[in-house]
mmCIF file of all heavy atoms in Angstrom:
data_model
loop_
_atom_site.group_PDB
_atom_site.id
_atom_site.type_symbol
_atom_site.label_atom_id
_atom_site.label_comp_id
_atom_site.label_asym_id
_atom_site.label_seq_id
_atom_site.Cartn_x
_atom_site.Cartn_y
_atom_site.Cartn_z
ATOM 1 N N MET A 11 0.810 -1.250 0.057
ATOM 2 C CA MET A 11 0.034 -0.044 0.009
ATOM 3 C C MET A 11 0.887 1.257 -0.008
ATOM 4 O O MET A 11 0.392 2.360 -0.294
ATOM 5 C CB MET A 11 -1.007 -0.033 1.232
ATOM 6 C CG MET A 11 -1.904 -1.108 1.135
ATOM 7 S SD MET A 11 -3.065 -0.919 -0.258
ATOM 8 C CE MET A 11 -3.034 -2.540 -0.861
ATOM 9 N N LEU A 12 2.022 1.156 0.469
ATOM 10 C CA LEU A 12 3.040 2.304 0.449
ATOM 11 C C LEU A 12 3.271 2.760 -1.036
ATOM 12 O O LEU A 12 3.406 3.955 -1.280
ATOM 13 C CB LEU A 12 4.261 2.025 1.120
ATOM 14 C CG LEU A 12 4.167 1.901 2.667
ATOM 15 C CD1 LEU A 12 5.473 1.401 3.234
ATOM 16 C CD2 LEU A 12 3.751 3.102 3.250
ATOM 17 N N ILE A 13 3.231 1.786 -1.946
ATOM 18 C CA ILE A 13 3.356 2.069 -3.316
ATOM 19 C C ILE A 13 2.317 3.107 -3.741
ATOM 20 O O ILE A 13 2.586 4.081 -4.570
ATOM 21 C CB ILE A 13 3.413 0.846 -4.228
ATOM 22 C CG1 ILE A 13 4.594 -0.083 -3.904
ATOM 23 C CG2 ILE A 13 3.281 1.232 -5.629
ATOM 24 C CD1 ILE A 13 4.630 -1.340 -4.648
ATOM 25 N N LEU A 14 1.063 2.849 -3.446
ATOM 26 C CA LEU A 14 -0.097 3.703 -3.735
ATOM 27 C C LEU A 14 0.258 5.138 -3.144
ATOM 28 O O LEU A 14 -0.113 6.128 -3.825
ATOM 29 C CB LEU A 14 -1.420 3.148 -3.307
ATOM 30 C CG LEU A 14 -1.887 1.828 -3.990
ATOM 31 C CD1 LEU A 14 -3.139 1.402 -3.228
ATOM 32 C CD2 LEU A 14 -2.057 2.032 -5.394
ATOM 33 N N ALA A 15 0.650 5.036 -1.977
ATOM 34 C CA ALA A 15 0.785 6.438 -1.319
ATOM 35 C C ALA A 15 1.936 7.358 -1.908
ATOM 36 O O ALA A 15 1.844 8.418 -2.118
ATOM 37 C CB ALA A 15 1.091 6.196 0.268
ATOM 38 N N PHE A 16 3.090 6.637 -1.990
ATOM 39 C CA PHE A 16 4.311 7.321 -2.388
ATOM 40 C C PHE A 16 4.687 7.331 -3.829
ATOM 41 O O PHE A 16 4.965 8.418 -4.481
ATOM 42 C CB PHE A 16 5.523 6.788 -1.624
ATOM 43 C CG PHE A 16 5.364 7.171 -0.184
ATOM 44 C CD1 PHE A 16 5.285 6.079 0.681
ATOM 45 C CD2 PHE A 16 5.393 8.406 0.280
ATOM 46 C CE1 PHE A 16 5.141 6.214 2.037
ATOM 47 C CE2 PHE A 16 5.297 8.599 1.629
ATOM 48 C CZ PHE A 16 5.105 7.525 2.577
ATOM 49 N N TRP A 17 4.521 6.123 -4.596
ATOM 50 C CA TRP A 17 4.818 6.194 -5.995
ATOM 51 C C TRP A 17 3.809 6.792 -6.873
ATOM 52 O O TRP A 17 4.079 7.611 -7.717
ATOM 53 C CB TRP A 17 5.116 4.657 -6.386
ATOM 54 C CG TRP A 17 5.687 4.477 -7.803
ATOM 55 C CD1 TRP A 17 5.761 5.413 -8.734
ATOM 56 C CD2 TRP A 17 6.309 3.349 -8.156
ATOM 57 N NE1 TRP A 17 6.407 4.859 -9.788
ATOM 58 C CE2 TRP A 17 6.741 3.592 -9.503
ATOM 59 C CE3 TRP A 17 6.509 2.132 -7.616
ATOM 60 C CZ2 TRP A 17 7.449 2.660 -10.216
ATOM 61 C CZ3 TRP A 17 7.265 1.164 -8.360
ATOM 62 C CH2 TRP A 17 7.658 1.388 -9.765
ATOM 63 N N PHE A 18 2.461 6.492 -6.544
ATOM 64 C CA PHE A 18 1.427 7.086 -7.401
ATOM 65 C C PHE A 18 0.846 8.307 -6.794
ATOM 66 O O PHE A 18 0.033 8.948 -7.401
ATOM 67 C CB PHE A 18 0.274 6.016 -7.472
ATOM 68 C CG PHE A 18 0.625 4.786 -8.337
ATOM 69 C CD1 PHE A 18 0.779 3.556 -7.734
ATOM 70 C CD2 PHE A 18 1.066 4.853 -9.685
ATOM 71 C CE1 PHE A 18 1.119 2.447 -8.416
ATOM 72 C CE2 PHE A 18 1.314 3.767 -10.389
ATOM 73 C CZ PHE A 18 1.428 2.629 -9.739
ATOM 74 N N GLU A 19 1.373 8.578 -5.649
ATOM 75 C CA GLU A 19 0.992 9.917 -4.833
ATOM 76 C C GLU A 19 -0.598 10.009 -4.661
ATOM 77 O O GLU A 19 -1.067 11.125 -5.076
ATOM 78 C CB GLU A 19 1.654 11.121 -5.696
ATOM 79 C CG GLU A 19 3.076 11.122 -5.638
ATOM 80 C CD GLU A 19 3.796 12.229 -6.400
ATOM 81 O OE1 GLU A 19 2.987 13.086 -6.820
ATOM 82 O OE2 GLU A 19 4.983 12.273 -6.433
ATOM 83 N N LEU A 20 -1.087 8.997 -4.393
ATOM 84 C CA LEU A 20 -2.615 9.058 -4.191
ATOM 85 C C LEU A 20 -2.860 9.665 -2.793
ATOM 86 O O LEU A 20 -2.067 9.567 -1.884
ATOM 87 C CB LEU A 20 -3.225 7.589 -4.250
ATOM 88 C CG LEU A 20 -3.208 7.043 -5.647
ATOM 89 C CD1 LEU A 20 -3.751 5.583 -5.544
ATOM 90 C CD2 LEU A 20 -3.873 7.867 -6.646
ATOM 91 N N SER A 21 -4.035 10.154 -2.609
ATOM 92 C CA SER A 21 -4.516 10.739 -1.387
ATOM 93 C C SER A 21 -4.854 9.682 -0.263
ATOM 94 O O SER A 21 -4.877 8.456 -0.590
ATOM 95 C CB SER A 21 -5.682 11.657 -1.552
ATOM 96 O OG SER A 21 -6.841 10.847 -1.799
ATOM 97 N N VAL A 22 -4.859 10.055 0.920
ATOM 98 C CA VAL A 22 -5.124 9.158 1.964
ATOM 99 C C VAL A 22 -6.419 8.382 1.878
ATOM 100 O O VAL A 22 -6.466 7.263 2.113
ATOM 101 C CB VAL A 22 -5.076 9.884 3.420
ATOM 102 C CG1 VAL A 22 -5.569 8.999 4.540
ATOM 103 C CG2 VAL A 22 -3.812 10.627 3.549
ATOM 104 N N GLN A 23 -7.389 9.043 1.311
ATOM 105 C CA GLN A 23 -8.685 8.409 1.098
ATOM 106 C C GLN A 23 -8.668 7.199 0.179
ATOM 107 O O GLN A 23 -9.242 6.242 0.383
ATOM 108 C CB GLN A 23 -9.808 9.423 0.578
ATOM 109 C CG GLN A 23 -10.145 10.501 1.563
ATOM 110 C CD GLN A 23 -9.164 11.605 1.573
ATOM 111 O OE1 GLN A 23 -8.256 11.638 0.789
ATOM 112 N NE2 GLN A 23 -9.445 12.622 2.404
ATOM 113 N N TYR A 24 -7.770 7.315 -0.916
ATOM 114 C CA TYR A 24 -7.676 6.224 -1.903
ATOM 115 C C TYR A 24 -6.884 5.082 -1.224
ATOM 116 O O TYR A 24 -7.151 3.893 -1.585
ATOM 117 C CB TYR A 24 -7.116 6.797 -3.197
ATOM 118 C CG TYR A 24 -8.007 7.553 -4.097
ATOM 119 C CD1 TYR A 24 -7.754 8.965 -4.209
ATOM 120 C CD2 TYR A 24 -9.111 7.025 -4.543
ATOM 121 C CE1 TYR A 24 -8.642 9.732 -4.992
ATOM 122 C CE2 TYR A 24 -9.976 7.766 -5.407
ATOM 123 C CZ TYR A 24 -9.761 9.154 -5.573
ATOM 124 O OH TYR A 24 -10.583 9.892 -6.306
ATOM 125 N N VAL A 25 -5.821 5.533 -0.601
ATOM 126 C CA VAL A 25 -4.966 4.456 0.105
ATOM 127 C C VAL A 25 -5.881 3.618 1.084
ATOM 128 O O VAL A 25 -5.742 2.395 1.172
ATOM 129 C CB VAL A 25 -3.658 5.051 0.739
ATOM 130 C CG1 VAL A 25 -3.012 3.975 1.536
ATOM 131 C CG2 VAL A 25 -2.953 5.685 -0.423
ATOM 132 N N TYR A 26 -6.635 4.288 1.800
ATOM 133 C CA TYR A 26 -7.583 3.668 2.934
ATOM 134 C C TYR A 26 -8.472 2.816 2.224
ATOM 135 O O TYR A 26 -8.795 1.672 2.630
ATOM 136 C CB TYR A 26 -8.243 4.694 3.752
ATOM 137 C CG TYR A 26 -9.074 4.155 4.788
ATOM 138 C CD1 TYR A 26 -8.534 3.559 5.799
ATOM 139 C CD2 TYR A 26 -10.444 4.248 4.664
ATOM 140 C CE1 TYR A 26 -9.303 3.140 6.919
ATOM 141 C CE2 TYR A 26 -11.268 3.798 5.714
ATOM 142 C CZ TYR A 26 -10.707 3.178 6.775
ATOM 143 O OH TYR A 26 -11.555 2.576 7.754
ATOM 144 N N ALA A 27 -9.084 3.204 1.006
ATOM 145 C CA ALA A 27 -10.088 2.486 0.387
ATOM 146 C C ALA A 27 -9.387 1.228 -0.227
ATOM 147 O O ALA A 27 -9.886 0.084 -0.271
ATOM 148 C CB ALA A 27 -10.739 3.255 -0.788
ATOM 149 N N ALA A 28 -8.138 1.313 -0.674
ATOM 150 C CA ALA A 28 -7.481 0.115 -1.255
ATOM 151 C C ALA A 28 -7.132 -0.809 -0.107
ATOM 152 O O ALA A 28 -7.221 -2.027 -0.356
ATOM 153 C CB ALA A 28 -6.010 0.647 -1.774
ATOM 154 N N VAL A 29 -6.778 -0.361 1.052
ATOM 155 C CA VAL A 29 -6.546 -1.308 2.205
ATOM 156 C C VAL A 29 -7.877 -2.041 2.592
ATOM 157 O O VAL A 29 -7.900 -3.246 2.805
ATOM 158 C CB VAL A 29 -6.086 -0.521 3.390
ATOM 159 C CG1 VAL A 29 -5.993 -1.320 4.693
ATOM 160 C CG2 VAL A 29 -4.564 0.115 3.149
ATOM 161 N N LEU A 30 -8.966 -1.371 2.562
ATOM 162 C CA LEU A 30 -10.308 -1.985 2.914
ATOM 163 C C LEU A 30 -10.629 -2.996 1.853
ATOM 164 O O LEU A 30 -10.990 -4.079 2.164
ATOM 165 C CB LEU A 30 -11.457 -0.912 3.015
ATOM 166 C CG LEU A 30 -11.344 -0.042 4.224
ATOM 167 C CD1 LEU A 30 -12.500 1.025 4.170
ATOM 168 C CD2 LEU A 30 -11.478 -0.801 5.543
ATOM 169 N N LEU A 31 -10.365 -2.684 0.599
ATOM 170 C CA LEU A 31 -10.628 -3.571 -0.521
ATOM 171 C C LEU A 31 -9.799 -4.805 -0.452
ATOM 172 O O LEU A 31 -10.263 -5.932 -0.515
ATOM 173 C CB LEU A 31 -10.458 -2.901 -1.838
ATOM 174 C CG LEU A 31 -10.797 -3.796 -3.123
ATOM 175 C CD1 LEU A 31 -12.156 -4.245 -3.088
ATOM 176 C CD2 LEU A 31 -10.398 -3.115 -4.351
ATOM 177 N N GLU A 32 -8.547 -4.640 -0.118
ATOM 178 C CA GLU A 32 -7.611 -5.727 -0.017
ATOM 179 C C GLU A 32 -7.916 -6.632 1.194
ATOM 180 O O GLU A 32 -8.051 -7.959 1.018
ATOM 181 C CB GLU A 32 -6.125 -5.185 0.334
ATOM 182 C CG GLU A 32 -5.208 -6.300 0.547
ATOM 183 C CD GLU A 32 -3.792 -5.847 1.036
ATOM 184 O OE1 GLU A 32 -3.697 -4.662 1.491
ATOM 185 O OE2 GLU A 32 -2.916 -6.564 0.847
ATOM 186 N N GLU A 33 -8.331 -6.168 2.321
ATOM 187 C CA GLU A 33 -8.747 -7.015 3.437
ATOM 188 C C GLU A 33 -10.102 -7.657 3.176
ATOM 189 O O GLU A 33 -10.215 -8.868 3.614
ATOM 190 C CB GLU A 33 -8.944 -6.074 4.692
ATOM 191 C CG GLU A 33 -7.653 -5.521 5.239
ATOM 192 C CD GLU A 33 -6.651 -6.609 5.606
ATOM 193 O OE1 GLU A 33 -7.038 -7.672 6.240
ATOM 194 O OE2 GLU A 33 -5.385 -6.430 5.439
ATOM 195 N N THR A 34 -10.952 -7.108 2.429
ATOM 196 C CA THR A 34 -12.233 -7.787 2.057
ATOM 197 C C THR A 34 -11.941 -8.946 1.167
ATOM 198 O O THR A 34 -12.620 -9.918 1.308
ATOM 199 C CB THR A 34 -13.153 -6.693 1.465
ATOM 200 O OG1 THR A 34 -13.282 -5.709 2.410
ATOM 201 C CG2 THR A 34 -14.470 -7.278 1.166
ATOM 202 N N LEU A 35 -11.043 -8.674 0.209
ATOM 203 C CA LEU A 35 -10.720 -9.773 -0.753
ATOM 204 C C LEU A 35 -10.075 -10.847 -0.015
ATOM 205 O O LEU A 35 -10.267 -12.108 -0.449
ATOM 206 C CB LEU A 35 -9.887 -9.276 -1.941
ATOM 207 C CG LEU A 35 -10.649 -8.255 -2.826
ATOM 208 C CD1 LEU A 35 -9.699 -7.736 -3.881
ATOM 209 C CD2 LEU A 35 -11.794 -8.942 -3.497
ATOM 210 N N LYS A 36 -9.218 -10.650 0.963
ATOM 211 C CA LYS A 36 -8.625 -11.681 1.626
ATOM 212 C C LYS A 36 -9.472 -12.505 2.630
ATOM 213 O O LYS A 36 -9.244 -13.723 2.802
ATOM 214 C CB LYS A 36 -7.493 -11.083 2.585
ATOM 215 C CG LYS A 36 -6.250 -10.785 1.908
ATOM 216 C CD LYS A 36 -5.171 -10.594 2.881
ATOM 217 C CE LYS A 36 -4.799 -9.186 3.117
ATOM 218 N NZ LYS A 36 -3.718 -8.854 4.033
ATOM 219 N N LEU A 37 -10.673 -11.891 2.860
ATOM 220 C CA LEU A 37 -11.621 -12.491 3.762
ATOM 221 C C LEU A 37 -12.374 -13.700 3.072
ATOM 222 O O LEU A 37 -12.667 -14.626 3.698
ATOM 223 C CB LEU A 37 -12.635 -11.551 4.194
ATOM 224 C CG LEU A 37 -13.773 -12.016 5.140
ATOM 225 C CD1 LEU A 37 -13.128 -12.421 6.533
ATOM 226 C CD2 LEU A 37 -14.831 -10.932 5.342
ATOM 227 N N ILE A 38 -12.376 -13.754 1.773
ATOM 228 C CA ILE A 38 -13.058 -14.784 1.017
ATOM 229 C C ILE A 38 -12.360 -16.080 1.115
ATOM 230 O O ILE A 38 -13.012 -17.052 1.576
ATOM 231 C CB ILE A 38 -13.316 -14.418 -0.398
ATOM 232 C CG1 ILE A 38 -14.350 -13.090 -0.446
ATOM 233 C CG2 ILE A 38 -13.868 -15.589 -1.230
ATOM 234 C CD1 ILE A 38 -14.290 -12.503 -1.815
ATOM 235 N N PRO A 39 -11.140 -16.181 0.900
ATOM 236 C CA PRO A 39 -10.432 -17.510 1.010
ATOM 237 C C PRO A 39 -10.387 -17.998 2.504
ATOM 238 O O PRO A 39 -10.333 -19.099 2.788
ATOM 239 C CB PRO A 39 -9.130 -17.366 0.369
ATOM 240 C CG PRO A 39 -8.940 -15.937 0.136
ATOM 241 C CD PRO A 39 -10.242 -15.231 0.068
ATOM 242 N N VAL A 40 -10.180 -16.971 3.331
ATOM 243 C CA VAL A 40 -10.063 -17.332 4.747
ATOM 244 C C VAL A 40 -11.464 -17.943 5.271
ATOM 245 O O VAL A 40 -11.436 -18.994 5.917
ATOM 246 C CB VAL A 40 -9.679 -16.059 5.662
ATOM 247 C CG1 VAL A 40 -9.900 -16.356 7.202
ATOM 248 C CG2 VAL A 40 -8.309 -15.578 5.314
ATOM 249 N N ALA A 41 -12.494 -17.321 4.803
ATOM 250 C CA ALA A 41 -13.863 -17.846 5.242
ATOM 251 C C ALA A 41 -14.107 -19.162 4.709
ATOM 252 O O ALA A 41 -14.548 -20.215 5.372
ATOM 253 C CB ALA A 41 -14.940 -16.877 4.887
ATOM 254 N N LEU A 42 -13.601 -19.453 3.429
ATOM 255 C CA LEU A 42 -13.770 -20.791 2.842
ATOM 256 C C LEU A 42 -12.917 -21.840 3.540
ATOM 257 O O LEU A 42 -13.338 -22.964 3.858
ATOM 258 C CB LEU A 42 -13.403 -20.792 1.408
ATOM 259 C CG LEU A 42 -14.339 -19.918 0.497
ATOM 260 C CD1 LEU A 42 -13.800 -19.871 -0.893
ATOM 261 C CD2 LEU A 42 -15.813 -20.581 0.544
ATOM 262 N N ARG A 43 -11.703 -21.408 3.987
ATOM 263 C CA ARG A 43 -10.897 -22.281 4.711
ATOM 264 C C ARG A 43 -11.365 -22.762 6.065
ATOM 265 O O ARG A 43 -11.328 -23.890 6.554
ATOM 266 C CB ARG A 43 -9.377 -21.705 4.818
ATOM 267 C CG ARG A 43 -8.444 -22.497 5.552
ATOM 268 C CD ARG A 43 -7.997 -23.740 4.700
ATOM 269 N NE ARG A 43 -6.929 -24.411 5.331
ATOM 270 C CZ ARG A 43 -6.207 -25.356 4.770
ATOM 271 N NH1 ARG A 43 -6.494 -25.732 3.534
ATOM 272 N NH2 ARG A 43 -5.255 -25.953 5.492
ATOM 273 N N ILE A 44 -11.920 -21.701 6.802
ATOM 274 C CA ILE A 44 -12.508 -22.017 8.118
ATOM 275 C C ILE A 44 -13.702 -22.894 8.041
ATOM 276 O O ILE A 44 -13.878 -23.728 8.829
ATOM 277 C CB ILE A 44 -12.857 -20.635 8.852
ATOM 278 C CG1 ILE A 44 -11.490 -20.035 9.266
ATOM 279 C CG2 ILE A 44 -13.686 -20.895 10.045
ATOM 280 C CD1 ILE A 44 -11.756 -18.608 9.828
ATOM 281 N N ARG A 45 -14.536 -22.607 7.015
ATOM 282 C CA ARG A 45 -15.756 -23.508 6.862
ATOM 283 C C ARG A 45 -15.436 -24.939 6.421
ATOM 284 O O ARG A 45 -16.108 -25.905 6.726
ATOM 285 C CB ARG A 45 -16.713 -22.909 5.815
ATOM 286 C CG ARG A 45 -17.388 -21.533 6.322
ATOM 287 C CD ARG A 45 -18.404 -21.122 5.338
ATOM 288 N NE ARG A 45 -19.440 -22.173 5.255
ATOM 289 C CZ ARG A 45 -20.457 -22.109 4.467
ATOM 290 N NH1 ARG A 45 -20.582 -21.073 3.677
ATOM 291 N NH2 ARG A 45 -21.442 -22.978 4.504
ATOM 292 N N SER A 46 -14.275 -25.154 5.691
ATOM 293 C CA SER A 46 -13.937 -26.441 5.277
ATOM 294 C C SER A 46 -13.470 -27.265 6.483
ATOM 295 O O SER A 46 -13.552 -28.451 6.434
ATOM 296 C CB SER A 46 -12.719 -26.452 4.321
ATOM 297 O OG SER A 46 -11.571 -26.086 4.866
ATOM 298 N N GLY A 47 -12.962 -26.673 7.473
ATOM 299 C CA GLY A 47 -12.449 -27.448 8.718
ATOM 300 C C GLY A 47 -11.200 -28.053 8.490
ATOM 301 O O GLY A 47 -10.679 -28.794 9.461
ATOM 302 N N LYS A 48 -10.425 -27.796 7.443
ATOM 303 C CA LYS A 48 -9.189 -28.356 7.188
ATOM 304 C C LYS A 48 -8.141 -27.768 8.209
ATOM 305 O O LYS A 48 -7.032 -28.478 8.392
ATOM 306 C CB LYS A 48 -8.706 -28.121 5.801
ATOM 307 C CG LYS A 48 -9.557 -28.910 4.883
ATOM 308 C CD LYS A 48 -8.934 -28.724 3.386
ATOM 309 C CE LYS A 48 -9.766 -29.498 2.427
ATOM 310 N NZ LYS A 48 -9.298 -29.259 1.040
ATOM 311 N N TRP A 49 -8.294 -26.660 8.807
ATOM 312 C CA TRP A 49 -7.328 -26.078 9.619
ATOM 313 C C TRP A 49 -7.331 -26.668 11.015
ATOM 314 O O TRP A 49 -6.450 -26.372 11.913
ATOM 315 C CB TRP A 49 -7.500 -24.452 9.676
ATOM 316 C CG TRP A 49 -8.972 -24.237 10.220
ATOM 317 C CD1 TRP A 49 -10.120 -24.274 9.595
ATOM 318 C CD2 TRP A 49 -9.257 -23.850 11.600
ATOM 319 N NE1 TRP A 49 -11.198 -23.855 10.448
ATOM 320 C CE2 TRP A 49 -10.590 -23.673 11.702
ATOM 321 C CE3 TRP A 49 -8.504 -23.762 12.745
ATOM 322 C CZ2 TRP A 49 -11.273 -23.306 12.803
ATOM 323 C CZ3 TRP A 49 -9.174 -23.376 13.897
ATOM 324 C CH2 TRP A 49 -10.560 -23.208 13.975
ATOM 325 N N ILE A 50 -8.342 -27.461 11.392
ATOM 326 C CA ILE A 50 -8.502 -27.857 12.778
ATOM 327 C C ILE A 50 -7.667 -29.156 12.931
ATOM 328 O O ILE A 50 -7.554 -30.091 12.125
ATOM 329 C CB ILE A 50 -9.982 -28.338 12.943
ATOM 330 C CG1 ILE A 50 -10.888 -27.179 12.909
ATOM 331 C CG2 ILE A 50 -10.201 -29.130 14.375
ATOM 332 C CD1 ILE A 50 -12.338 -27.525 12.899
ATOM 333 N N LYS A 51 -6.788 -29.126 13.957
ATOM 334 C CA LYS A 51 -5.973 -30.276 14.311
ATOM 335 C C LYS A 51 -6.281 -30.797 15.749
ATOM 336 O O LYS A 51 -6.590 -29.953 16.593
ATOM 337 C CB LYS A 51 -4.553 -29.863 14.294
ATOM 338 C CG LYS A 51 -4.031 -29.211 13.036
ATOM 339 C CD LYS A 51 -3.996 -30.249 11.882
ATOM 340 C CE LYS A 51 -3.409 -29.709 10.693
ATOM 341 N NZ LYS A 51 -3.777 -30.219 9.460
ATOM 342 N N LYS A 52 -6.305 -32.081 15.875
ATOM 343 C CA LYS A 52 -6.516 -32.619 17.317
ATOM 344 C C LYS A 52 -5.257 -32.491 18.057
ATOM 345 O O LYS A 52 -4.235 -32.993 17.685
ATOM 346 C CB LYS A 52 -6.930 -34.098 17.210
ATOM 347 C CG LYS A 52 -8.246 -34.334 16.563
ATOM 348 C CD LYS A 52 -8.695 -35.840 16.709
ATOM 349 C CE LYS A 52 -10.114 -35.952 16.130
ATOM 350 N NZ LYS A 52 -10.496 -37.378 16.232
ATOM 351 N N LEU A 53 -5.293 -31.803 19.193
ATOM 352 C CA LEU A 53 -4.186 -31.680 20.066
ATOM 353 C C LEU A 53 -4.150 -32.610 21.218
ATOM 354 O O LEU A 53 -3.206 -32.729 21.748
ATOM 355 C CB LEU A 53 -4.118 -30.174 20.522
ATOM 356 C CG LEU A 53 -4.019 -29.002 19.460
ATOM 357 C CD1 LEU A 53 -4.094 -27.769 20.127
ATOM 358 C CD2 LEU A 53 -2.766 -29.322 18.617
ATOM 359 N N ALA A 54 -5.264 -33.158 21.506
ATOM 360 C CA ALA A 54 -5.414 -34.005 22.648
ATOM 361 C C ALA A 54 -6.394 -35.145 22.354
ATOM 362 O O ALA A 54 -7.348 -34.833 21.498
ATOM 363 C CB ALA A 54 -5.791 -33.373 23.831
ATOM 364 N N GLU A 55 -6.273 -36.285 23.009
ATOM 365 C CA GLU A 55 -7.335 -37.337 22.881
ATOM 366 C C GLU A 55 -8.567 -36.953 23.627
ATOM 367 O O GLU A 55 -8.439 -36.310 24.686
ATOM 368 C CB GLU A 55 -6.734 -38.629 23.281
ATOM 369 C CG GLU A 55 -5.562 -39.094 22.695
ATOM 370 C CD GLU A 55 -4.960 -40.454 23.196
ATOM 371 O OE1 GLU A 55 -5.645 -41.014 23.962
ATOM 372 O OE2 GLU A 55 -3.876 -40.808 22.690
ATOM 373 N N PRO A 56 -9.766 -37.605 23.226
ATOM 374 C CA PRO A 56 -10.809 -37.403 23.945
ATOM 375 C C PRO A 56 -10.681 -37.893 25.422
ATOM 376 O O PRO A 56 -9.961 -38.877 25.577
ATOM 377 C CB PRO A 56 -11.908 -38.135 23.329
ATOM 378 C CG PRO A 56 -11.462 -38.235 21.831
ATOM 379 C CD PRO A 56 -10.005 -38.245 22.026
ATOM 380 N N GLU A 57 -11.366 -37.416 26.465
ATOM 381 C CA GLU A 57 -11.148 -37.761 27.918
ATOM 382 C C GLU A 57 -11.340 -39.162 28.144
ATOM 383 O O GLU A 57 -10.636 -39.867 28.904
ATOM 384 C CB GLU A 57 -12.094 -36.901 28.700
ATOM 385 C CG GLU A 57 -11.553 -36.756 30.128
ATOM 386 C CD GLU A 57 -12.293 -35.700 30.964
ATOM 387 O OE1 GLU A 57 -12.379 -34.598 30.477
ATOM 388 O OE2 GLU A 57 -12.829 -36.117 32.004
ATOM 389 N N GLU A 58 -12.368 -39.795 27.452
ATOM 390 C CA GLU A 58 -12.645 -41.189 27.727
ATOM 391 C C GLU A 58 -11.654 -42.129 27.096
ATOM 392 O O GLU A 58 -11.505 -43.278 27.595
ATOM 393 C CB GLU A 58 -14.040 -41.565 27.188
ATOM 394 C CG GLU A 58 -14.238 -41.352 25.703
ATOM 395 C CD GLU A 58 -14.765 -40.076 25.444
ATOM 396 O OE1 GLU A 58 -15.009 -39.216 26.309
ATOM 397 O OE2 GLU A 58 -14.997 -39.771 24.171
ATOM 398 N N MET A 59 -10.752 -41.705 26.185
ATOM 399 C CA MET A 59 -9.789 -42.568 25.736
ATOM 400 C C MET A 59 -8.352 -42.394 26.385
ATOM 401 O O MET A 59 -7.429 -43.212 26.314
ATOM 402 C CB MET A 59 -9.423 -42.160 24.185
ATOM 403 C CG MET A 59 -10.651 -42.541 23.387
ATOM 404 S SD MET A 59 -10.219 -42.109 21.597
ATOM 405 C CE MET A 59 -9.214 -43.460 21.225
ATOM 406 N N MET A 60 -8.343 -41.469 27.409
ATOM 407 C CA MET A 60 -7.031 -41.211 28.074
ATOM 408 C C MET A 60 -6.864 -42.186 29.258
ATOM 409 O O MET A 60 -7.850 -42.571 29.828
ATOM 410 C CB MET A 60 -7.079 -39.821 28.720
ATOM 411 C CG MET A 60 -6.959 -38.683 27.662
ATOM 412 S SD MET A 60 -6.999 -37.092 28.149
ATOM 413 C CE MET A 60 -5.516 -37.021 29.065
ATOM 414 N N GLU A 61 -5.712 -42.650 29.445
ATOM 415 C CA GLU A 61 -5.442 -43.495 30.584
ATOM 416 C C GLU A 61 -5.468 -42.710 31.892
ATOM 417 O O GLU A 61 -4.932 -41.565 31.906
ATOM 418 C CB GLU A 61 -4.024 -44.281 30.324
ATOM 419 C CG GLU A 61 -4.044 -45.093 29.165
ATOM 420 C CD GLU A 61 -2.687 -45.670 28.928
ATOM 421 O OE1 GLU A 61 -1.891 -45.743 29.787
ATOM 422 O OE2 GLU A 61 -2.426 -46.226 27.806
ATOM 423 N N PRO A 62 -5.781 -43.423 33.036
ATOM 424 C CA PRO A 62 -5.735 -42.626 34.283
ATOM 425 C C PRO A 62 -4.185 -42.274 34.648
ATOM 426 O O PRO A 62 -3.292 -43.143 34.366
ATOM 427 C CB PRO A 62 -6.314 -43.620 35.249
ATOM 428 C CG PRO A 62 -6.369 -44.888 34.548
ATOM 429 C CD PRO A 62 -6.323 -44.667 33.083
ATOM 430 N N MET A 63 -3.991 -41.275 35.293
ATOM 431 C CA MET A 63 -2.655 -40.825 35.733
ATOM 432 C C MET A 63 -2.309 -41.714 36.983
ATOM 433 O O MET A 63 -3.019 -41.874 37.857
ATOM 434 C CB MET A 63 -2.722 -39.350 36.116
ATOM 435 C CG MET A 63 -3.143 -38.361 35.043
ATOM 436 S SD MET A 63 -1.752 -37.778 34.123
ATOM 437 C CE MET A 63 -0.720 -36.925 35.344
ATOM 438 N N PRO A 64 -1.019 -42.251 36.911
ATOM 439 C CA PRO A 64 -0.588 -42.884 38.099
ATOM 440 C C PRO A 64 -0.527 -42.021 39.323
ATOM 441 O O PRO A 64 -0.069 -40.814 39.212
ATOM 442 C CB PRO A 64 0.833 -43.412 37.664
ATOM 443 C CG PRO A 64 1.231 -42.706 36.488
ATOM 444 C CD PRO A 64 0.036 -42.011 35.920
ATOM 445 N N ALA A 65 -0.713 -42.495 40.546
ATOM 446 C CA ALA A 65 -0.730 -41.742 41.694
ATOM 447 C C ALA A 65 0.777 -41.652 42.309
ATOM 448 O O ALA A 65 1.558 -42.279 42.045
ATOM 449 C CB ALA A 65 -1.623 -42.317 42.823
#
C-alpha cells in the first residue's frame, strides 16, 4: 500500500479504500478455509480414551 501512497501519490482516502478492499478480498479464502474445517488439528485425545494418571 505504500506504493499507492508514495509512488502514485494518491491521497489518504484512496489508500484507505485500497486497504479496505484488500482486506475484504482476503476474507473470502479465509472464510472458505475456516468453513472447510481443514485447519482444525486434534491436540489431545478425548477424555474417555485417556489412561488414568498414576498416583
Side-chain angles (χ1 to χ4, degrees):
M11 292 302 131
L12 289 174
I13 292 174
L14 292 176
F16 294 114
W17 193 340
F18 295 116
E19 298 178 3
L20 293 179
S21 65
V22 173
Q23 292 85 1
Y24 287 115
V25 174
Y26 182 70
V29 169
L30 289 179
L31 179 64
E32 177 189 16
E33 293 298 323
T34 304
L35 292 176
K36 280 196 262 184
L37 182 65
I38 296 168
V40 168
L42 292 173
R43 180 71 175 189
I44 289 174
R45 288 189 66 188
S46 73
K48 291 182 181 179
W49 60 278
I50 299 173
K51 305 287 184 210
K52 290 185 181 181
L53 299 178
E55 295 179 11
E57 201 169 307
E58 59 270 0
M59 294 184 72
M60 294 178 67
E61 298 178 15
M63 298 268 304

